């Protein structure tokens, strides 16, 4: 079992930065791949980034490569998403999620547990 609690969302200007955090509880955290997804109004939830349980493997959607960085601190049971050079199109509710898959997962149905979501708004 994994329980996820997110924080760090907010309002930022274009070009600004935000750091999202997702605190996890449960003994399965260290064996879970973690991911970030986002959902804009009227649109489907989409993959943003994922990180392996060891932190040694990461993968990003093309539109955030070079701007976003996913990381994790297993000692703190926390996964992060550092978002730099934010654009208005990054505006969405961001969700963290946990998966038991071995390989990086980019599909929603590969994730077993989800956070409550945190709003990120980037003003133009």
């Amino acid at each position: 079992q994994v329980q996820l609690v997110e924080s760090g969302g907010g309002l930022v200007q274009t070009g600004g930065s935000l750091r999202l955090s997702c605190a996890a509880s449960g003994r399965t955290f260290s064996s879970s791949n973690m991911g970030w997804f986002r959902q804009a109004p009227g649109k489907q939830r989409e993959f943003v980034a994922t990180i392996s349980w060891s932190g040694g493997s990461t993968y990003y959607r093309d539109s955030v490569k070079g701007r976003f960085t996913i990381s994790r601190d297993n000692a703190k049971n926390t996964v992060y998403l550092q978002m730099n050079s934010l654009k208005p199109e990054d505006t969405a509710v961001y969700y963290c999620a946990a998966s038991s898959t071995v390989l990086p997962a980019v599909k929603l149905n590969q994730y077993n547990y989800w956070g409550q979501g945190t709003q990120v708004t980037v003003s133009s």
Side-chain angles (χ1 to χ4, degrees), residues 26-32 53-54 72 74 77:
R27 292 188 292 176
T28 61
F29 176 77
S30 62
S31 62
S32 298
W53 71 269
S54 66
R72 68 191 297 165
N74 288 345
N77 289 338

Side-chain angles (χ1 to χ4, degrees), residues 29-52:
F29 176 77
S30 62
S31 62
S32 298
N33 290 305
M34 299 295 297
W36 287 95
F37 291 76
R38 65 188 182 187
Q39 186 168 21
K43 296 186 177 181
Q44 293 182 290
R45 194 171 299 184
E46 64 182 16
F47 168 78
V48 176
T50 187
I51 186 168
S52 63

Side-chain angles (χ1 to χ4, degrees), residues 19-95:
R19 183 178 176 86
L20 306 183
S21 299
C22 182
S25 61
R27 292 188 292 176
T28 61
F29 176 77
S30 62
S31 62
S32 298
N33 290 305
M34 299 295 297
W36 287 95
F37 291 76
R38 65 188 182 187
Q39 186 168 21
K43 296 186 177 181
Q44 293 182 290
R45 194 171 299 184
E46 64 182 16
F47 168 78
V48 176
T50 187
I51 186 168
S52 63
W53 71 269
S54 66
S57 180
T58 60
Y59 185 76
Y60 303 87
R61 71 178 297 110
D62 288 343
S63 62
V64 308
K65 288 180 179 178
R67 301 189 297 120
F68 290 12
T69 302
I70 188 171
S71 62
R72 68 191 297 165
D73 185 341
N74 288 345
K76 297 182 178 180
N77 289 338
T78 302
V79 62
Y80 306 95
L81 185 68
Q82 178 66 47
M83 305 184 294
N84 299 324
S85 301
L86 283 163
K87 306 174 181 179
E89 50 263 46
D90 295 319
T91 295
V93 176
Y94 283 70
Y95 300 87

Side-chain angles (χ1 to χ4, degrees), residues 11-17 67 84-91 121-124:
L11 175 64
V12 66
Q13 292 181 283
T14 297
S17 299
R67 301 189 297 120
N84 299 324
S85 301
L86 283 163
K87 306 174 181 179
E89 50 263 46
D90 295 319
T91 295
T121 302
V122 185
S123 62
S124 59

